[in-house]
Amino acid sequence: MKSAYLYFENGLFLEAKSFGADGCCVGEVVFNTSMSGYQEIISDPSYAGQFITFSMPEIGIVGCNPQDMESRGVFAKGVLVSHYSDHFSNFRAQESLSSFLKHFNVMGICRLPIRDIVKMIRLEGAMMMVASTEISDVGELKKILHSSLRIEEINYAQDVSTKESYTHKQGVFSFECMGYPTLHTRKKIVAIDFGIKRNILNNLVESGFEVEVQPHSFRADTLIQRFKKGELHAVFLSNGPGDPKFLKSEIAEIKILVESDIPIFAICLGHQLLAIAHGYPTYKLKFGHHGGNHPVKNLCNQAVEITAQNHIYSVPENITEIADITHQNLFDGTIEGLLYHRRKIYSIQHHPESSPGPKEANSIFGEFARMIE
């Protein structure tokens, strides 16, 4: 393994080993608490522009395979791990994590004091960092870091979004196995791709929707005309990377949608964009929610759902002036779900499709289908 050199925004300098792509990258460093599913996490477009610090000490032992991809590629800057195993043992695996990262030109760095890095992020917050297999001089790394754009200054949605519209037809499994009847709404939903995950699309299909995916540069007027003609019945706003307030043109189009009668369903970044479009700006959390063990209380039925999360921005509390809170994070009390007043607009902050084990949060897709039925 080559040596790798890391310089953090707070002045911390570390030397480690590289098992991914060579080069020099700048990004925001966050940590993820999930114990499994590293390929799904790495291929989530919401991590564009970020280094993912895995708190799980052993990474790489199940390898990688094409079926577990959540998008067409990998948009994260890199992964930071404690111990990397190049020997994988899984009947589904087709390549090592090292080979996988090199294929997508993504850095992989191991032999790091992960516990200390996670503690640092918890205390000081998510921060920018630079990693290099080519430059070891601290002064040079510091210069590169401070001359680079910050993650909140880059529109990563335009990089991860599809360039052309397409139809998604693949489902997941029948909701009947979870006690929910499979819905055959025969309704068409247009999913706006800000960095959408494939399993979200699978769940929309499973709920009975005909799903058409459009780029982030969609035109609201066109969708409204199609809605009036009965050619579509709802719009879905997807998850995605970066600071939602930076997506000004996308927010302008969402405002037009909100003023129409189109039912809207949104997850993660889409949830945040909806709040901004209503005039309620988001704020950045200290280190965000990234992991598969976050308890969320469903205020509609008082049930506690264990959820997967991947976000660092949250909607403000005063949004209750125009919406009812349907879900709340039990770690810090932040808003996880909203049902807007006088409109068929429903949004969720967490990822109901990213099963952390329990699958109760998946019912959200069926609930929206029933809402527009």
Side-chain angles (χ1 to χ4, degrees):
M1 293 184 183
K2 283 187 176 182
S3 292
Y5 306 93
L6 287 69
Y7 180 80
F8 295 79
E9 191 175 6
N10 65 354
L12 176 66
F13 174 76
L14 296 173
E15 182 176 352
K17 292 297 181 181
S18 168
F19 65 91
D22 295 334
C24 183
C25 280
V26 174
E28 183 180 56
V29 59
V30 296
F31 66 87
N32 187 293
T33 59
S34 294
M35 296 292 102
S36 61
Y38 59 76
Q39 184 182 344
E40 292 92 328
I41 292 167
I42 295 170
S43 60
D44 179 354
S46 297
Y47 278 111
Q50 293 180 320
F51 285 92
I52 309 166
T53 304
F54 283 102
S55 59
M56 174 65 179
E58 298 285 339
I59 295 292
I61 55 177
V62 295
C64 297
N65 67 81
Q67 290 73 38
D68 287 344
M69 292 292 292
E70 282 288 357
S71 64
R72 69 179 186 276
V74 176
F75 302 96
K77 293 291 186 178
V79 298
L80 310 182
V81 306
S82 177
H83 181 259
Y84 166 68
S85 175
D86 201 50
H87 174 74
F88 56 90
S89 179
N90 187 320
F91 75 98
R92 299 175 66 242
Q94 297 185 17
E95 62 178 332
S96 68
L97 177 57
S98 174
S99 171
F100 173 82
L101 292 177
K102 289 175 181 177
H103 174 77
F104 290 106
N105 196 32
V106 175
M107 300 189 78
I109 302 171
C110 63
R111 300 184 188 176
L112 285 165
I114 292 298
R115 183 184 293 271
D116 292 333
I117 292 174
V118 170
K119 285 183 178 179
M120 177 184 72
I121 296 171
R122 281 185 58 86
L123 289 172
E124 301 182 38
M127 64 185 74
M128 298 295 290
M129 63 160 278
V130 57
S132 178
T133 58
E134 302 164 343
I135 302 170
S136 59
D137 181 73
V138 177
E140 185 65 22
L141 290 173
K142 182 178 181 180
K143 182 179 178 181
I144 293 171
L145 178 61
H146 291 302
S147 63
S148 300
L149 290 175
R150 300 183 65 84
I151 190 170
E152 57 266 24
E153 300 173 310
I154 302 172
N155 185 346
Y156 280 109
Q158 65 185 6
D159 296 330
V160 303
S161 177
T162 182
K163 306 306 178 188
E164 297 181 356
S165 300
Y166 65 92
T167 300
H168 184 88
K169 298 182 178 179
Q170 178 184 342
V172 186
F173 48 80
S174 174
F175 278 165
E176 291 174 355
C177 67
M178 299 188 300
Y180 296 96
T182 300
L183 297 168
H184 300 285
T185 62
R186 297 183 180 177
K187 301 287 186 179
K188 184 163 188 173
I189 191 168
V190 170
I192 307 302
D193 180 10
F194 301 114
I196 200 164
K197 294 170 65 179
R198 287 179 179 171
N199 210 31
I200 287 178
L201 295 173
N202 295 346
N203 274 274
L204 288 172
V205 171
E206 202 67 38
S207 300
F209 287 110
E210 179 185 347
V211 181
E212 175 188 325
V213 184
Q214 288 197 10
H216 73 103
S217 55
F218 73 101
R219 296 292 301 173
D221 290 342
T222 302
L223 296 182
I224 292 170
Q225 290 174 9
R226 293 177 61 188
F227 175 72
K228 291 178 178 178
K229 293 178 181 178
E231 297 174 0
L232 69 88
H233 305 91
V235 172
F236 173 75
L237 306 177
S238 83
N239 62 295
D243 186 341
K245 292 196 292 292
F246 193 78
L247 307 182
K248 298 187 184 302
S249 60
E250 291 86 347
I251 293 168
E253 296 299 319
I254 293 173
K255 284 182 179 179
I256 298 172
L257 285 181
V258 166
E259 292 169 0
S260 72
D261 294 324
I262 298 180
I264 302 175
F265 179 34
I267 287 177
C268 202
L269 179 66
H271 165 81
Q272 299 159 12
L273 292 171
L274 265 177
I276 298 172
H278 279 87
Y280 293 83
T282 53
Y283 64 95
K284 191 169 186 177
L285 298 169
K286 188 173 183 179
F287 49 82
H289 301 156
H290 309 276
N293 58 347
H294 290 248
V296 168
K297 187 170 185 179
N298 186 328
L299 302 182
C300 300
N301 58 17
Q302 303 305 306
V304 175
E305 303 169 354
I306 304 302
T307 68
Q309 309 244 352
N310 180 18
H311 65 99
I312 200 166
Y313 294 90
S314 183
V315 302
E317 293 291 333
N318 65 340
I319 201 169
T320 53
E321 296 170 353
I322 61 166
D324 293 326
I325 300 175
T326 60
H327 296 75
Q328 189 169 37
N329 191 295
L330 293 182
F331 278 158
D332 59 9
T334 53
I335 296 172
E336 292 280 351
L338 292 169
L339 181 61
Y340 286 81
H341 300 163
R342 299 182 298 278
R343 290 187 175 98
K344 292 183 179 179
I345 301 179
Y346 189 23
S347 66
I348 294 294
Q349 179 61 79
H350 52 277
H351 283 258
E353 87 293 342
S354 284
S355 171
K359 301 181 186 295
E360 61 266 13
N362 271 357
S363 63
I364 290 167
F365 293 95
E367 290 169 8
F368 181 72
R370 280 186 287 273
M371 179 190 295
I372 69 169
E373 184 68 14

